């Protein structure tokens, strides 16, 4: 079962690993684990404050504002921003898809061929033992069986404009190992490239790189995969979720600080496509709505988070940081004296 930011809930309590050092979400010495939890309904229904009571805030949230005329508007990457792929694409950041294959594969053979291509996109240079262990972890695999799967995947991908196979025969590779051809792309590898560039560059170019990374996100990584397969992919899925959360949080913060709340909201919402129950990203959404004074949208987002929390394992409490932020952002009710 998924928990906060897409991680598994369990007794181990393992912490998340962030692939981009120094960019973990809200590394601010939060005391969320020390504060008592409360339900989102409690926060939304709170009416204990008077209108002259000071707002409690450890990190004073911004006052509602609109973007100034010279603020750069949200500019999500357009298709022409990226080079046009010249070959097939292995798409992992959402429903698992192979795009641009020029051959054919029988529908009852497509699932295992897709898994093979996804594995090779992430593990180039694998030998036959690695392939067997990933695709058939509990079975003894014959050479004929493996070769048949690889041959079908090769025929499905097709060839480049020079007639070279997108999945070369192993005997034609320098190290006699399996790898996809140079014209086959993978959205996760492209995401990592843009994310690394953007996280180390705080200029407008860096923000554009982060936007390009997030534009690749279509949903939860590896969505739609066969639940009986892909055990090998689970660590990578968690790495993807952590990276997407980090990039979305970073870009949302940057755009909010640049007085571009629409850009801040877009970044947070792109992250939520991958991990719908991330309170880290919901806090970014709340701040973006608050930045333009859209309290109705803020309340609606808080209500969506409440419904998600209620659906997880019979109901979970909101994080203390989220409760505190909502108390700071939502208007305090007035009372007659």
């Amino acid at each position: 079962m998924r928990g906060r930011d897409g991680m598994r809930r369990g007794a181990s309590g393992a912490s998340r690993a962030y692939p981009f050092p120094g960019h973990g979400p809200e590394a601010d010495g939060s005391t969320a684990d020390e504060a008592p939890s409360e339900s989102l309904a409690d926060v939304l229904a709170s009416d204990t404050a008077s209108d002259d009571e000071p707002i409690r805030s450890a990190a004073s949230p911004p006052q509602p504002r609109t973007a100034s005329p010279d603020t750069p508007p949200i500019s999500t990457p357009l298709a022409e921003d990226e080079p046009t792929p010249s070959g097939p694409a292995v798409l992992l950041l959402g429903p698992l898809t192979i795009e641009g294959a020029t051959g054919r594969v029988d529908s009852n053979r497509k699932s295992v061929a897709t898994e093979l291509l996804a594995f090779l996109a992430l593990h180039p240079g694998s030998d036959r033992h690695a392939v067997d262990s990933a695709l058939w972890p509990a079975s003894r695999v014959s050479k004929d069986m493996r070769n048949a799967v690889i041959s079908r995947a090769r025929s499905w991908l097709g060839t480049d404009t020079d007639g070279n196979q997108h999945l070369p025969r192993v005997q034609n590779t320098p190290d006699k190992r399996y790898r996809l051809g140079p014209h086959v792309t993978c959205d996760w590898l492209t995401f990592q490239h843009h994310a690394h560039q953007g996280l180390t560059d705080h200029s407008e170019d860096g923000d554009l790189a982060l936007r390009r990374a997030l534009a690749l996100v279509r949903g939860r990584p590896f969505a739609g995969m066969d639940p009986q397969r892909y055990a090998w992919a689970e660590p990578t899925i968690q790495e993807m979720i952590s990276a997407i959360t980090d990039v979305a949080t970073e870009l949302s913060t940057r755009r909010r600080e640049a007085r571009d709340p629409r850009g801040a909201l877009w970044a947070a919402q792109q992250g939520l496509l991958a991990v719908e129950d991330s309170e880290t990203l919901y806090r970014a959404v709340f701040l973006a709505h608050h930045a333009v004074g859209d309290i109705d949208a803020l309340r609606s987002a808080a209500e969506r988070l409440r419904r998600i929390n209620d659906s997880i394992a019979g109901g979970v409490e909101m994080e203390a940081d989220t409760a505190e932020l909502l108390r700071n952002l939502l208007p305090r009710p007035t009372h007659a004296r």
Side-chain angles (χ1 to χ4, degrees), residues 250-286:
E250 175 70 12
L251 182 58
S252 187
T253 299
R254 290 187 192 184
R255 298 319 300 163
R256 192 172 67 250
E257 291 175 349
R259 300 192 177 187
D260 176 18
R262 290 181 298 152
L265 182 62
W266 178 84
Q269 290 175 332
Q270 281 297 111
L272 286 170
L273 291 177
V275 51
E276 65 174 7
D277 59 352
S278 169
E279 291 200 14
T280 296
L281 293 175
Y282 263 101
R283 289 193 288 271
V285 167
F286 299 158

Side-chain angles (χ1 to χ4, degrees), residues 2-269:
R2 288 186 294 115
R4 283 288 160 258
D5 296 343
M7 296 299 288
R8 299 278 181 180
R9 293 185 184 275
S12 64
S15 61
R16 286 174 33 182
Y18 295 98
F20 308 109
H23 291 278
E26 301 181 305
D28 56 1
S30 168
T31 57
D33 293 336
E34 301 170 9
S37 60
E38 57 189 314
S39 72
L40 192 53
D42 293 336
V43 173
L44 294 176
S46 175
D47 61 356
T48 59
S50 63
D51 53 357
D52 61 351
E53 199 174 9
I55 293 179
R56 295 175 289 111
S57 175
S60 301
Q63 294 300 311
R65 65 189 180 192
T66 57
S68 61
D70 58 348
T71 296
I74 177 60
S75 54
T76 56
L78 303 176
E80 55 266 29
D81 289 336
E82 293 286 351
T84 302
S86 59
V90 181
L91 303 181
L92 308 175
L93 301 180
L96 184 56
T97 306
I98 308 298
E99 282 193 350
T102 57
R104 299 183 60 183
V105 65
D106 293 339
S107 58
N108 62 336
R109 308 288 192 182
K110 190 173 184 178
S111 177
V112 66
T114 297
E115 183 175 9
L116 171 68
L117 296 176
F119 178 77
L120 292 180
L122 297 177
H123 302 89
S126 293
D127 62 15
R128 61 184 178 85
H129 302 292
V131 171
D132 292 353
S133 178
L135 271 64
W136 302 283
S139 305
R140 294 178 64 88
V141 182
S142 69
K143 177 180 178 181
D144 289 344
M145 178 179 176
R146 180 193 321 108
N147 287 349
V149 169
I150 294 172
S151 178
R152 283 191 290 267
R154 179 180 296 118
S155 297
W156 181 25
L157 277 190
T159 60
D160 63 22
T161 55
D162 294 325
N164 299 311
Q165 293 167 324
H166 287 304
L167 175 52
R169 296 181 183 277
V170 69
Q171 60 266 31
N172 295 335
T173 61
D175 54 5
K176 301 300 186 286
R177 289 173 178 256
Y178 298 104
R179 56 171 46 82
L180 301 177
H183 298 293
V184 181
T185 59
C186 175
D187 57 355
W188 169 235
L189 301 182
T190 304
F191 178 99
Q192 289 180 301
H193 169 76
H194 290 318
H196 177 75
Q197 177 186 353
L199 292 172
T200 56
D201 181 355
H202 288 259
S203 71
E204 184 63 24
D205 287 343
D207 287 10
L208 178 59
L210 295 182
R211 287 198 294 270
R212 284 175 170 168
L214 289 175
L216 297 170
V217 178
R218 298 169 293 113
R220 180 173 172 80
F222 281 78
M225 66 184 182
D226 184 344
Q228 303 301 314
R229 305 187 66 92
Y230 292 89
W232 59 268
E234 189 60 30
T236 302
I237 292 172
Q238 299 305 331
E239 179 186 357
M240 291 172 172
I241 287 172
S242 293
I244 292 168
T245 301
D246 291 347
V247 169
T249 303
E250 175 70 12
L251 182 58
S252 187
T253 299
R254 290 187 192 184
R255 298 319 300 163
R256 192 172 67 250
E257 291 175 349
R259 300 192 177 187
D260 176 18
R262 290 181 298 152
L265 182 62
W266 178 84
Q269 290 175 332

Side-chain angles (χ1 to χ4, degrees), residues 259-328:
R259 300 192 177 187
D260 176 18
R262 290 181 298 152
L265 182 62
W266 178 84
Q269 290 175 332
Q270 281 297 111
L272 286 170
L273 291 177
V275 51
E276 65 174 7
D277 59 352
S278 169
E279 291 200 14
T280 296
L281 293 175
Y282 263 101
R283 289 193 288 271
V285 167
F286 299 158
L287 288 167
H289 286 314
H290 182 265
V292 293
D294 194 341
I295 301 303
D296 288 341
L298 197 163
R299 288 187 181 277
S300 295
E303 178 61 23
R304 286 196 301 275
L305 177 58
R306 183 193 66 78
R307 291 196 297 268
I308 290 172
N309 281 351
D310 287 348
S311 71
I312 298 174
V316 297
E317 303 298 337
M318 70 190 308
E319 296 172 7
D321 285 350
T322 309
E324 181 70 11
L325 182 62
L326 284 173
R327 288 192 185 281
N328 291 335

